[in-house]
Amino acid sequence: MKSSSQSRLGGMPLTLQDLKSHLWMCAEILRGSAVDRTDWKAYTLPLLFFKRICDVYDEETEEAVELFGDADPVEFPEAHRFLVPEGCHWRDVRETPANVGAALSRAMREIERANPDTLYRVFGAADWGNRQMLTDEILKDLIEALSEVSLGNQAVGSDILGDAYEYLIGKFADITKRKKAGEFYTPRSVVRMMVDILDPREGETIYDPACGTGGMLLGAIEHVQKTGGDERTFFGRIYGQEKNLTTASIARMNLVLHGIEDFQVVREDTLRTPAFTDSSTGGLATFDCVIANPPFSLKEWGREVWEADPWGRARFGLPPASYGDYAWVQHMVSSMAEPSGRMAVVLPQGALFRKGAEGTIRRRLLQEDLIEVVIGLAPNIFYGTGLAPAVMVLRRAKPPDRQAKVLVVDASTLFRKGRAQNFLDPEHGEEIVNLVRGFADAEDRAKVVTLDEIEAEGWTLNISRYVPPAVGEDIPPLREAVAAFKEALTEARAAEERLRTVLTEGGWLT
């Protein structure tokens, strides 16, 4: 371990795989603690960020010494992206013999106070001082694991660091398998597909009202880079809101680690207290691109506020108390700029055909010709849920050839099957994007439907109503299918009988 540590600290570039293994080592160390594994990210990720800040600070100090000679670099704060107060450096915490958690907590809080405009509450609310959860021994092991690598700019690029960071976020979502894991992590392939459909351009504003760890905001920036644009034109034009304090902190860290510093991510409940408003109009602030993967069918989403919503977001109808999906949709519609605004939102497929209040809202959105594309995705491609999601694309002003029409896409067979998870691979996302850009019928895959046709179907957007499932060539004749069913049924009954015998002999059944 020592020799590899020395070589990395000696200036050798750090590979993405190398960094991933060190980050996962931190997660493995936390297995020996009393910290619930659903909270590991709240400890590992701030440590990574703290180390990154200190290593970059050291590099900047060395550069300042070269520029200013014998002068104390502390006298030149402009040399640093972030200030690290005296006694709050990584090495200070590393050298602390006891009460390491208290030293770590103090260092993080003081760094936040020294950088109020950029790092306010960025380290989250982890309880570092709780010695019952985190002993000095475990904290020292965590610190030593990250001390083995340099995270300065000379050793690791912000893109690589950010990619490793998102890898760890995904790993946490994967291992916890929490019901709501998808609230804070969306597979990058889905993000890329949604961003490519919206096609953000240089200088446009981007807003995610349920930003989680910031993946969709970063996806928009990466899209501009990929298409040859200058991502710096986004500085000051990136906006996000996230209810969960830890997740909002991770989003801010994630953006900074990717080299983005001029942005606004606010920790607040979007549906109850939207953070971005326009004082000149008295309404919500509006943006060119609005993108989100909000929590599916959220209960207790704030209906009591929307009954007399001061922002007028319930223009198309009041969503039911038990399903917040169309609250998110209407908030995002209210956040679209005129005439450039467009949005993409992930929804449960039930939102495409449920009746009642949701059916009324959906009908009114269609009648106003805001809905442009509906895409049905494969099941089990999101962490933490086996549901088949849908992506709905809306546009403030459709091109003339798309007016009074909706493209319905069945992408339910576009996936790679995994052992416990299905995957939307890049080629699948690319096929979906091409279908949307082409906006034309495609056999067994896509159908351009007029509003008159949708009205005739009762204003449902149920995908199978417009794109019937393909009849597979491998479907057996009826006689063979019935025979196979009877054989499977016989085997199932035999297995049940064997289980009953085992349980009876073991005394479980009497």
Side-chain angles (χ1 to χ4, degrees):
M1 283 297 267
K2 210 70 171 176
S3 59
S4 66
S5 162
Q6 289 169 346
S7 66
R8 292 188 189 103
L9 290 171
M12 288 188 66
L14 192 67
T15 67
L16 177 58
Q17 189 55 48
D18 221 6
L19 185 51
K20 283 181 179 180
S21 63
H22 274 80
L23 291 175
W24 192 244
M25 187 190 307
C26 292
E28 291 293 335
I29 290 169
L30 281 170
R31 286 185 190 275
S33 73
V35 176
D36 188 278
R37 61 181 183 169
T38 60
D39 294 325
W40 286 354
K41 68 183 186 303
Y43 292 89
T44 304
L45 302 179
L47 268 182
L48 171 75
F49 193 51
F50 177 35
K51 179 68 160 58
R52 164 74 164 171
I53 286 174
C54 293
D55 286 356
V56 171
Y57 184 89
D58 288 345
E59 285 182 348
E60 292 167 342
T61 299
E62 291 177 11
E63 292 169 4
V65 169
E66 292 179 9
L67 284 173
F68 306 125
D70 294 334
D72 188 348
V74 175
E75 297 175 8
F76 301 92
E78 65 273 11
H80 297 287
R81 282 170 66 192
F82 304 113
L83 297 178
V84 177
E86 185 73 24
C88 297
H89 195 280
W90 179 270
R91 61 176 166 268
D92 297 315
V93 176
R94 189 183 183 190
E95 292 167 0
T96 301
N99 295 324
V100 179
L104 191 55
S105 182
R106 175 185 170 275
M108 289 179 174
R109 296 289 85 81
E110 291 301 318
I111 289 174
E112 289 177 343
R113 290 192 184 98
N115 302 274
D117 295 335
T118 51
L119 301 182
Y120 173 69
R121 298 184 75 179
V122 75
F123 288 109
D127 189 2
W128 296 102
N130 187 336
R131 300 180 72 177
Q132 291 184 327
M133 292 182 65
L134 287 168
T135 64
D136 279 351
E137 182 181 2
I138 286 175
L139 280 174
K140 287 179 178 180
D141 285 346
L142 281 172
I143 291 168
E144 289 307 310
L146 283 179
S147 293
E148 292 183 358
V149 294
S150 172
L151 299 179
N153 289 326
Q154 295 173 13
V156 59
S158 59
D159 284 346
I160 292 177
L161 195 59
D163 288 347
Y165 195 80
E166 290 195 0
Y167 151 83
L168 197 53
I169 293 169
K171 276 287 190 182
F172 281 128
D174 194 30
I175 63 172
T176 57
K177 292 295 181 186
R178 293 193 304 171
K179 183 179 179 182
K180 293 295 183 181
E183 287 182 16
F184 63 81
Y185 184 78
T186 307
R188 295 188 70 178
S189 57
V190 177
V191 172
R192 193 176 300 114
M193 180 264 292
M194 293 172 66
V195 168
D196 285 350
I197 288 171
L198 290 186
D199 191 24
R201 307 295 177 88
E202 280 187 337
E204 289 190 317
T205 50
I206 313 295
Y207 170 52
D208 184 343
C211 69
T213 55
M216 290 193 174
L217 298 174
L218 284 168
I221 297 166
E222 290 168 2
H223 174 86
V224 167
Q225 291 174 320
K226 186 176 67 176
T227 53
D230 187 347
E231 73 278 4
R232 291 174 297 180
T233 60
F234 275 136
F235 289 6
R237 294 173 175 269
I238 300 293
Y239 302 84
Q241 188 164 349
E242 169 57 45
K243 181 179 179 180
N244 182 278
L245 173 60
T246 298
T247 310
S249 299
I250 290 171
R252 297 174 65 204
M253 285 185 270
N254 203 2
L255 285 161
V256 173
L257 288 173
H258 278 87
I260 310 300
E261 294 174 29
D262 191 0
F263 60 85
Q264 290 189 56
V265 170
V266 177
R267 203 286 300 171
E268 192 54 82
D269 186 329
T270 299
L271 297 182
R272 288 183 170 87
T273 314
F276 303 108
T277 58
D278 186 341
S279 58
S280 65
T281 65
L284 295 181
T286 58
F287 308 90
D288 299 305
C289 291
V290 185
I291 187 169
N293 172 22
F296 284 2
S297 302
L298 186 65
K299 295 176 173 59
E300 299 178 7
W301 51 268
R303 192 177 192 272
E304 70 286 353
V305 173
W306 281 54
E307 287 174 350
D309 183 43
W311 310 106
R313 292 172 292 179
R315 184 163 70 90
F316 300 98
L318 188 62
S322 55
Y323 293 101
D325 301 310
Y326 278 99
W328 289 105
V329 170
Q330 291 190 92
H331 173 86
M332 293 171 72
V333 168
S334 299
S335 301
M336 284 196 295
E338 289 274 10
S340 61
R342 62 264 194 209
M343 61 173 270
V345 58
V346 182
L347 298 168
Q349 289 207 18
L352 303 181
F353 52 78
R354 289 194 295 250
K355 297 182 179 180
E358 290 186 309
T360 300
I361 297 169
R362 187 173 59 247
R363 171 174 59 81
R364 290 175 177 171
L365 289 168
L366 286 162
Q367 288 172 331
E368 291 231 0
D369 204 16
L370 289 168
I371 299 177
E372 184 175 55
V373 181
V374 174
I375 304 162
L377 297 176
N380 202 31
I381 61 172
F382 280 71
Y383 290 94
T385 177
L387 292 176
V391 173
M392 187 182 286
V393 180
L394 294 85
R395 192 176 294 269
R396 182 67 73 187
K398 292 183 183 179
D401 62 336
R402 298 188 181 189
Q403 290 174 4
K405 299 174 185 175
V406 176
L407 178 69
V408 180
V409 179
D410 181 2
S412 60
T413 59
L414 294 178
F415 68 95
R416 172 173 53 86
K417 188 168 182 60
R419 189 165 58 89
Q421 191 88 30
N422 293 330
F423 300 94
L424 186 80
D425 287 334
E427 59 268 25
H428 302 138
E430 187 176 340
E431 182 173 343
I432 295 169
V433 172
N434 288 336
L435 287 168
V436 173
R437 288 175 179 167
F439 208 85
D441 292 354
E443 187 176 359
D444 298 331
R445 186 68 75 200
K447 176 74 174 175
V448 177
V449 188
T450 66
L451 292 187
D452 288 340
E453 290 175 281
I454 296 173
E455 182 180 8
E457 292 287 350
W459 300 104
T460 182
L461 288 174
N462 191 336
I463 289 166
S464 62
R465 287 283 187 96
Y466 308 104
V467 188
V471 179
E473 296 178 0
D474 57 346
I475 294 179
L478 180 59
R479 187 186 300 275
E480 293 180 18
V482 171
F485 170 75
K486 288 180 177 178
E487 182 181 352
L489 185 60
T490 301
E491 291 177 357
R493 286 173 175 166
E496 286 180 2
E497 192 57 40
R498 288 196 297 272
L499 178 60
R500 186 185 302 276
T501 300
V502 170
L503 292 176
T504 301
E505 291 176 353
W508 297 97
L509 289 178
T510 57

